[in-house]
Amino acid sequence: MAELNFGGVIENVMTSKEFSLEKAREVLKNETIAVLGYGVQGPGQACNLRDNGFNVIVGQREGKTYDKAVSDGWVPGETLFSIEEAAEKGTIVCMLLSDAAQIAVWPSVKPYLTAGKALYFSHGFGINWSDRTGIVPPADIDVIMVAPKGSGTSLRTMFLEGRGLNSSYAIYQDATGRAMERVLAFGIGIGSGYMFETTFEREAVSDLTGERGSLMGAIQGLLLAQYEVLRENGHTPSEAFNETVEELTQSLMPLFAKNGMDWMYANCSTTAQRGALDWMTPFHDAIKPVMYQLYDSVKTGKEAQRSIDSNSQPDYREKLNEELKALRESEMWRTAVVVRQLRPENDATQK
């Protein structure tokens, strides 16, 4: 473990320097890793593990996702099976299905979780809210988690670029005495950058808070509010979008991702600097009470239950598609389509 100081808070993190890929291969050399689900996280993790030399199989129901697995080189009857067959064959069974799908398949997967196996997750939802999901593992297996801090697509893309996506890891149940080495080896195997320790509860709560907060929910709300105010005061769609979204994502985010917001404040115009410093506190004070409401809703399980209830409705997919269509066809994101086409990388004269 490497000891890092985060502003006075000491954390132990694991990197490939402390736990090498060679060591990971040795730890998992006799394991069959069964990746159940080939949707969001499944492809990235399965392909990275395969490319790193681990014994991997995939479990997926037939359909478009199954066909994608075949196109990615997984062979039916050899490395691609039904969910139940893969669970039976695997010694590390990876629940990489959606939260709703995990609940649905749990009764058919649980019988194959025999003594000594490991049950692996990349999200703490199913275990943390087991009273709502019904996912209660047998006592004689390891229950572990590696949660990449990004999409499965990013995990795969960064792996192919020779980079690693940071991940958290946790142990819920150590029945074999090998849970720690199994989880660390798995994290290295999927191509994690550095790994920091968490718990299933902390991961589940922070993940749902982040998705609903700064990562997606809050950022869409903030962007839309600013865009609407500009449009309602006579600014054109192009101007409103550029000042709200395009400059943020294309110019500023890469800079403060690399150097920090303190650097960003120190390296902008004095006018922008003064305004940002003056207005960050009113925004913080207005938003923090909402963040507390969100955190409480997540912590108490209300958000988990809302997700379970909505996902179990027979018309869920149709309603979801309607909501996504409304978002996609809003003026701000229709403007985005036009603006993206005007970026230099899409202009043949710039190539």
Side-chain angles (χ1 to χ4, degrees):
M1 294 280 184
E3 190 177 87
L4 297 181
N5 187 331
F6 293 91
V9 178
I10 304 300
E11 283 192 44
N12 291 318
V13 301
M14 181 66 71
T15 73
S16 58
K17 292 180 180 179
E18 292 81 35
F19 202 106
S20 68
L21 180 57
E22 290 71 22
K23 182 177 180 179
R25 288 173 179 147
E26 179 64 24
V27 168
L28 302 182
K29 66 180 180 181
N30 296 319
E31 306 271 17
T32 298
I33 300 169
V35 173
L36 308 187
Y38 206 74
V40 179
Q41 281 289 335
Q45 295 198 31
C47 290
N48 288 4
L49 286 162
R50 180 179 61 184
D51 289 355
N52 270 335
F54 296 88
N55 181 26
V56 189
I57 61 175
V58 170
Q60 175 61 46
R61 303 216 185 282
E62 293 191 8
K64 290 183 179 180
T65 307
Y66 185 95
D67 295 340
K68 181 183 186 310
V70 172
S71 69
D72 284 348
W74 303 98
V75 181
E78 295 182 16
T79 55
L80 179 59
F81 303 92
S82 70
I83 288 174
E84 293 76 14
E85 286 178 296
E88 182 178 17
K89 293 177 182 295
T91 59
I92 300 180
V93 179
C94 308
M95 291 286 272
L96 297 185
L97 299 143
S98 69
D99 295 324
Q102 288 181 26
I103 296 170
V105 306
W106 177 247
S108 63
V109 168
K110 186 176 180 179
Y112 299 110
L113 299 174
T114 52
K117 287 191 175 186
L119 179 61
Y120 168 92
F121 294 86
S122 281
H123 184 25
F125 189 104
I127 292 292
N128 187 57
W129 289 293
S130 60
D131 58 327
R132 302 167 188 267
T133 65
I135 300 177
V136 180
D140 55 2
I141 67 169
D142 293 342
V143 182
I144 59 178
M145 174 178 65
V146 176
K149 298 298 102 180
S151 69
T153 300
S154 298
L155 182 72
R156 181 61 176 165
T157 299
M158 293 174 71
F159 175 86
L160 294 174
E161 293 173 349
R163 300 187 292 145
L165 183 65
N166 297 334
S167 302
S168 60
Y169 71 91
I171 297 170
Y172 179 77
Q173 192 167 279
D174 184 4
T176 67
R178 297 183 55 237
M180 180 61 79
E181 66 175 12
R182 273 173 147 175
V183 74
L184 293 177
F186 206 103
I188 295 298
I190 65 172
S192 298
Y194 78 79
M195 294 184 287
F196 59 95
E197 190 170 10
T198 187
T199 65
F200 273 68
E201 179 187 15
R202 293 210 318 263
E203 192 284 331
V205 171
S206 61
D207 188 80
L208 264 66
T209 300
E211 291 168 347
R212 287 150 178 75
S214 66
L215 301 180
M216 294 178 70
I219 192 67
Q220 166 63 14
L222 172 63
L223 296 176
L224 182 59
Q226 179 171 306
Y227 180 88
E228 288 176 341
V229 167
L230 290 172
R231 289 287 290 121
E232 289 162 10
N233 282 276
H235 299 268
T236 66
S238 180
E239 183 172 52
F241 186 82
N242 272 277
E243 295 294 352
T244 300
V245 180
E246 193 74 352
E247 184 174 354
L248 171 68
T249 60
Q250 300 305 299
S251 174
L252 302 186
M253 288 185 74
L255 290 173
F256 69 72
K258 180 180 179 181
N259 302 310
M261 188 60 80
D262 56 326
W263 182 94
M264 193 75 253
Y265 275 42
N267 287 273
C268 61
S269 71
T270 55
T271 301
Q273 189 178 71
R274 183 70 265 146
L277 288 167
D278 289 346
W279 277 93
M280 67 179 186
T281 298
F283 273 111
H284 168 271
D285 293 348
I287 292 167
K288 193 167 182 179
V290 180
M291 292 302 299
Y292 267 116
Q293 292 175 25
L294 167 58
Y295 189 84
D296 180 70
S297 187
V298 173
K299 182 78 171 178
T300 58
K302 292 178 183 177
E303 292 300 310
Q305 192 62 53
R306 183 180 300 174
S307 178
I308 292 169
D309 291 344
S310 64
N311 289 342
S312 64
Q313 297 299 314
D315 60 347
Y316 167 72
R317 183 58 59 179
E318 290 77 9
K319 289 182 177 178
L320 173 65
N321 287 337
E322 289 177 6
E323 290 180 283
L324 295 178
K325 180 181 178 182
L327 184 63
R328 183 174 61 251
E329 294 183 354
S330 66
E331 184 186 276
M332 185 171 75
W333 292 115
R334 283 189 286 112
T335 301
V337 174
V338 178
V339 171
R340 284 196 295 268
Q341 293 172 347
L342 297 174
R343 290 176 185 165
E345 64 266 25
N346 295 323
D347 185 350
T349 64
Q350 300 292 321
K351 297 179 180 178

